[in-house]
Amino acid sequence: MKSLVQFQSVGKSYNGEKALNNLSFNLLRGVPTALLGNNGSGKSTVIHIICNLIPYDKGRVYYKSELIHPGHVYYKNQLGMVLSDHYFVEEFGVLQYWKFVCRFQK
């Protein structure tokens, strides 16, 4: 499968505090993906970088093998993300919760 989004050693700091430190991963086309983690683990930072809402400090981010530069907007209409508050978290396992939330996003 081809990569849709690729992070290569991406770093981002806020006021000297590292939010992301050499983060590398691939999101594959056609594979649903969820970002899960504790508060402050960098999930929102990753989403903001993918959506090109904030710049990253180091590394490289690609969308369909094309380097994302600040100000690029050509690909944003091709992204689909479910952003939600965490309702009913205790009642579901991870996959069950994800499926529950996705049912209401169309």
Side-chain angles (χ1 to χ4, degrees), residues 43-99:
K43 301 177 304 291
S44 294
T45 299
V46 167
I47 295 297
H48 288 128
I49 290 172
I50 291 173
C51 294
N52 210 354
L53 298 173
I54 61 171
Y56 48 94
D57 300 332
K58 67 174 201 156
R60 294 175 186 244
V61 178
Y62 296 90
Y63 178 77
K64 292 185 178 179
S65 301
E66 187 168 333
L67 186 63
I68 295 175
H69 294 288
H72 275 188
V73 295
Y74 69 93
Y75 65 94
K76 289 184 180 184
N77 66 347
Q78 299 174 34
L79 294 175
M81 295 190 192
V82 177
L83 305 173
S84 67
D85 289 324
H86 46 279
Y87 302 107
F88 308 113
V89 171
E90 289 79 22
E91 286 82 9
F92 294 101
V94 173
L95 187 56
Q96 291 82 19
Y97 180 70
W98 188 47
K99 288 179 180 179

Side-chain angles (χ1 to χ4, degrees), residues 1-6 25-33:
M1 291 188 155
K2 292 186 178 184
S3 287
L4 182 64
V5 175
Q6 184 178 30
F25 65 87
N26 288 321
L27 300 179
L28 302 177
R29 291 183 194 186
V31 177
T33 304

